[in-house]
Amino acid sequence: MSFSNKVFIVTGSARGVGAGIAENILQNGGRVTISDVLNEVGLATTDRLAKLYGTEKVTFIHCDVTNQQSFESLWSETEKIFGSPVQVLVNNAGVFHNAGWEKCIDINLKGLMIGNYLALDRMGKTKGHGLGGQVINVASLAGFVAGSDAISSPYFASKAGVISLTKSIGNDLTLRTEGVRVNAICMGYTDTGLFNKNKQLNDQILEEVGGTKNLLPVSRIVDAFQVLMSNGKVNGRSLCVMANIPMWYYPRHDRQEIIFWACGAKLFKRLRPNAMVMEPWHQAVFFIGFQLFLFIALQTLWRIFF
Ligand SMILES: NC(=O)C1=CN([C@@H]2O[C@H](COP(=O)(O)OP(=O)(O)OC[C@H]3O[C@@H](n4cnc5c(N)ncnc54)[C@H](O)[C@@H]3O)[C@@H](O)[C@H]2O)C=CC1
Ligand SMILES: CCCCC/C=C\C=C\C(=O)C/C=C\C/C=C\CCCC(=O)O
């Protein structure tokens, strides 16, 4: 996909996934601001990319995503340097729980919210340049599953928050009124510094929780970024990326799931009118019963019509 001089901001892009996405933007003719709290690493990455793709295409700006002012000046500086409005924000900056739970929530969730609201303000039709644009939030499969212990729970919770935020901000009304689409990338374990910092420990944990041994290469996350950039319709979606299988979109309307379980509870009320709660094993019976019902109904229809 050609980005023909489009201006992008990628947060936390001094290294890892963010640096991979920034390079892909340049390879496709876009312009990008690399931003991070790591000045030295950020400048080194920017130098390397500037030599390959041109100094006018890439710049580095220090930004701590947890700081509103810092984010605002990242945006304004980017537009000043490139002389064009920003059209895509990739909220990629993140830390694992070993940074401390408050920092983890601050960077992964609060920082990302600052980015999302700023993007609506600056790119939207109501207050911003009005051209609209895209926000891509880097979440994780961790946002859908349970963590393995209390210590890692802030990381899992922060990513669940990102997925929820993406679903809610990326709605039809925002798209109509602001012209901004918001989607998320949810990948499994990926081969970057964040993962490899405690590789021995992480491999051991992965062994225990039975996680995949196949780390995703950064190039797969870059592919996911390309998929979201080239699909002009998706909004409020989470694109899931796992090793060795095609990417897939997590269903957008979780409401259907609530309706399904509420129907189960209604049926349960008929069987046990005085029960206060439908226990998980009741739910399991309902689920299996529902599958059996579907199977028999389909078989009967098949016999009638064929
Ligand atoms: N590596 C993995 O297994 C997975 C990573 N992710 C997510 O992908 C994103 C990128 O992670 P990686 O590239 O793996 O890690 P990384 O550690 O290589 O890159 C993260 C970058 O964010 C920067 N950063 C941290 N705090 C910041 C702040 N306050 N303001 C601005 N930048 C800040 C770091 O300096 C670093 O350069 C993160 O959001 C992470 O949660 C999601 C799933 C799996
Ligand atoms: C177990 C600790 C490893 C530390 C790795 C560092 C960063 C990891 C970041 C993540 O976001 C983890 C991503 C996904 C976890 C959730 C489910 C994975 C299920 C699929 C699989 O087995 O790969």
Side-chain angles (χ1 to χ4, degrees), residues 10-21 35-39 41-42 61-67 70-71 91-96 99 103 106-108 111-112 137-142 155 158-159 162 185-197 202 215-216 218 221 241:
V10 186
T11 67
S13 48
R15 63 183 187 198
V17 169
I21 291 177
S35 74
D36 209 292
V37 285
L38 300 177
N39 291 343
V41 190
I61 299 174
H62 173 98
C63 171
D64 175 351
V65 294
T66 63
N67 183 313
S70 179
F71 220 137
N91 281 308
N92 164 78
V95 290
F96 210 44
K103 222 169 163 193
D106 262 7
I107 295 169
N108 296 6
L112 189 129
N137 293 325
V138 179
S140 163
L141 287 179
Y155 182 79
S158 71
K159 294 300 182 182
V162 172
I185 299 176
C186 298
M187 65 275 211
Y189 299 105
T190 307
D191 199 0
T192 69
L194 180 58
F195 187 89
N196 289 318
K197 221 171 6 182
N202 290 339
L215 285 187
L216 289 158
V218 169
I221 321 307
V241 190

Side-chain angles (χ1 to χ4, degrees), residues 189-208:
Y189 299 105
T190 307
D191 199 0
T192 69
L194 180 58
F195 187 89
N196 289 318
K197 221 171 6 182
N198 297 310
K199 191 155 178 19
Q200 220 179 349
L201 175 68
N202 290 339
D203 280 349
Q204 191 191 326
I205 300 169
L206 278 182
E207 184 86 40
E208 280 163 21

Side-chain angles (χ1 to χ4, degrees), residues 8-26 31-49 58-65 71 74 78 88-94 107 138 218:
F8 293 69
I9 292 176
V10 186
T11 67
S13 48
R15 63 183 187 198
V17 169
I21 291 177
E23 177 149 18
N24 182 266
I25 292 166
L26 294 166
R31 292 176 287 171
V32 64
T33 293
I34 291 183
S35 74
D36 209 292
V37 285
L38 300 177
N39 291 343
E40 233 172 89
V41 190
L43 283 168
T45 302
T46 308
D47 271 1
R48 179 178 67 80
L49 296 178
V58 55
T59 191
F60 174 79
I61 299 174
H62 173 98
C63 171
D64 175 351
V65 294
F71 220 137
L74 162 68
T78 297
V88 184
L89 169 67
V90 182
N91 281 308
N92 164 78
I107 295 169
V138 179
V218 169

